[in-house]
Amino acid sequence: MSIASDHEGMLREAALRVTRPRLAVLQAVHDNPHADTDTIIRVVRGALGEVSHQAVYDVLRALTGAGLVRRIQPSGSVARYEARVGDNHHHVVCRSCGAIADVDCAVGHTPCLIASDDSGFTIDEAEVVYWGRCPDCSTTDPGRTPRV
């Protein structure tokens, strides 16, 4: 099965119409984990030619709403999108260059969902962001002023 047909199936299973912009945005998110909207627009335009900013924003909103794409926004950053959905993973963000990487839950089955005091809430997701410096920034310029 091809990637395009996989993405067509994902859209159909989510009750979304299969359109060229939706396929292109879904492919761009899969190929560029943690990409911002400008990057996704550039990739989609490379695949389809002219497409409006608003069309890409609308597709991202639809894909996020359908659970096919996850939107994250670390403090001080623009919104980013990823195709890794359906699990409760976290992120590590470089304070210098802004690079983002996935981090699985530390131990066991979503231990971060067990709060010391849930205040009566039914918790279904935890959003943990680890901050630091990526390997490149740590070794190339240890005195560099952090971006965030």
Side-chain angles (χ1 to χ4, degrees), residues 36-111:
D36 61 15
T37 309
D38 287 341
T39 300
I40 294 169
I41 290 169
R42 187 174 58 254
V43 170
V44 169
R45 284 182 174 164
L48 297 181
E50 186 56 37
V51 64
S52 71
H53 280 74
Q54 191 60 51
V56 173
Y57 282 109
D58 290 346
V59 169
L60 286 168
R61 189 175 310 108
L63 296 176
T64 301
L68 298 177
V69 167
R70 181 178 178 194
R71 181 185 185 274
I72 62 170
Q73 189 167 6
S75 179
S77 175
V78 297
R80 307 292 184 113
Y81 296 88
E82 64 180 348
R84 185 175 171 184
V85 297
D87 67 350
N88 194 56
H89 73 278
H90 309 298
H91 298 94
V92 60
V93 180
C94 180
R95 289 186 186 279
S96 294
C97 71
I100 300 173
D102 291 336
V103 178
D104 290 325
C105 272
V107 182
H109 181 70
T110 60

Side-chain angles (χ1 to χ4, degrees), residues 98-136:
I100 300 173
D102 291 336
V103 178
D104 290 325
C105 272
V107 182
H109 181 70
T110 60
C112 51
L113 295 182
I114 302 168
S116 60
D117 179 5
D118 64 17
S119 299
F121 283 71
T122 301
I123 299 173
D124 61 11
E125 182 177 5
E127 196 170 301
V128 176
V129 178
Y130 300 95
W131 293 90
R133 292 174 61 125
C134 71
D136 288 342

